[in-house]
Amino acid sequence: MTGVVAVIGAGTMGAGIAQCLAQAGRDVIVVEPDPAAVERARRGLNEAVRLALLLGRGDRRTALETARRVRWTDRIDDLHAVEFVIECAVERIELKEKLFAELDRVCPADAVLASATSAIPIARLAAATGRPDRVLGLHFMNPAPLTDAVEVVRGAQTSAGTMARATELLTALGKESLVVGDRPGFVINRLLMLSIAQAAATLDTGTDAATVDALFERCLGHRMGPLRTADLIGLDNVADTIEVLRRETGEDHYRIPPALATLVAAGHFGRKTGQGFHDYR
């Protein structure tokens, strides 16, 4: 598989996936209507390329070629010749369903449509298209360039050929494919969001965030505690994911705790804004 790959959205995850693709030698089209998001993503890609040079990974010509592989556009209609699409829009069900209907209309009939959704069932997104056999989930972890595996979600109608094409692409990116079944939250976020919500709820008892994370890191040997993990994901994304889980499962324990809601309302989204459960300023 050597055709063009499209990425929908130039947020943290979309930009990271585009970087992975370009560094692996793939031509990429990133669709993003917000000029400010495009500028941030373009700047991040250039910084990643410069860092690779400083670390001795390739030469200047290779670095320039990597940056040139990424094309930026604000029009989905520009995806009429892509081979594979990875959708990275915000975690809103109706928005993603609309996007998948648009992608189905514009993209070639044999193109694979993948979603990097955190929790929305792939069956819902596939139902918005006329190609449910070519729809699957590719749940990358943040930061995408530094993680070794991807949670690959196989929908009820996802074909073996589609799974093979996705695995081939991930292998080319140096990622391991860990295949799971389709249900709200899949495996990782079904468990992780509950852990984050409960950890945030303990803050109401007077325990501070540093202590909560230290318990996981020093007592259980986790590389990062649940609240630091939430800050890395982005607290706005965490809140959206928990809301999707509550809506899709009907289970009351998926609720946004007050401590998380307060931070999100104040615009404190974690690492990307400099402040979340912890202070990064």
Side-chain angles (χ1 to χ4, degrees):
M1 186 171 68
T2 58
V4 178
V5 179
V7 175
I8 310 299
T12 301
M13 187 54 68
I17 293 172
Q19 177 186 328
C20 292
L21 290 162
Q23 289 178 328
R26 300 302 300 268
D27 290 325
V28 187
I29 299 178
V30 179
V31 181
E32 174 55 67
D34 181 4
V38 170
E39 181 55 33
R40 285 193 299 270
R42 195 196 304 270
R43 187 166 58 247
L45 176 62
N46 290 335
E47 289 172 355
V49 167
R50 285 196 292 270
L51 179 59
L53 278 175
L54 289 173
L55 295 176
R57 299 171 185 167
D59 52 25
R60 181 172 177 78
R61 178 180 176 183
T62 301
L64 289 173
E65 288 176 350
T66 296
R68 288 170 181 165
R69 288 191 187 102
V70 182
R71 173 188 167 195
W72 310 87
T73 181
D74 60 359
R75 301 175 65 251
I76 282 183
D77 284 345
D78 288 339
L79 306 186
H80 54 83
V82 300
E83 181 177 280
F84 204 106
V85 180
I86 304 175
E87 172 272 317
C88 303
V90 294
E91 196 72 353
R92 307 287 167 77
I93 295 173
E94 290 77 11
L95 171 63
K96 287 183 184 286
E97 288 176 329
K98 182 179 178 181
L99 276 173
F100 268 74
E102 282 290 290
L103 291 169
D104 187 48
R105 177 184 65 81
V106 170
C107 298
D110 61 347
V112 171
L113 307 182
S115 178
T117 175
S118 299
I120 299 169
I122 296 305
R124 288 200 62 152
L125 303 180
T129 77
R131 62 180 89 188
D133 59 314
R134 294 184 178 88
V135 178
L136 79 162
L138 294 181
H139 183 204
F140 286 78
M141 305 300 124
N142 184 34
L146 301 180
T147 54
D148 297 327
V150 174
E151 187 179 33
V152 180
V153 187
R154 183 171 192 166
Q157 298 185 66
T158 307
S159 71
T162 296
M163 295 297 292
R165 290 171 67 182
T167 299
E168 179 186 351
L169 177 63
L170 292 176
T171 299
L173 302 184
K175 309 290 187 188
E176 180 183 3
S177 299
L178 298 175
V179 180
V180 301
D182 187 21
R183 66 187 305 209
F186 320 124
V187 173
I188 289 178
N189 278 336
R190 187 93 175 191
L191 303 174
L192 177 60
M193 293 300 138
L194 186 57
S195 175
I196 289 172
Q198 292 299 315
T202 66
L203 300 180
D204 293 339
T205 68
T207 306
D208 60 80
T211 299
V212 171
D213 283 333
L215 288 166
F216 279 80
E217 294 162 4
R218 299 174 197 169
C219 296
L220 299 180
H222 291 198
R223 186 172 65 178
M224 189 181 298
L227 300 181
R228 290 190 190 281
T229 300
D231 282 346
L232 179 61
I233 294 169
L235 301 189
D236 51 340
N237 297 327
V238 169
D240 285 344
T241 301
I242 292 173
E243 178 58 26
V244 168
L245 283 164
R246 187 196 63 77
R247 176 174 168 179
E248 290 297 303
T249 66
E251 297 173 3
D252 285 342
H253 51 246
Y254 290 113
R255 289 199 173 272
I256 300 171
L260 174 59
T262 298
L263 288 168
V264 171
H268 300 317
F269 300 154
R271 285 183 178 273
K272 61 186 176 183
T273 61
Q275 185 174 349
F277 289 113
H278 298 274
D279 195 329
Y280 303 92
R281 294 169 296 180

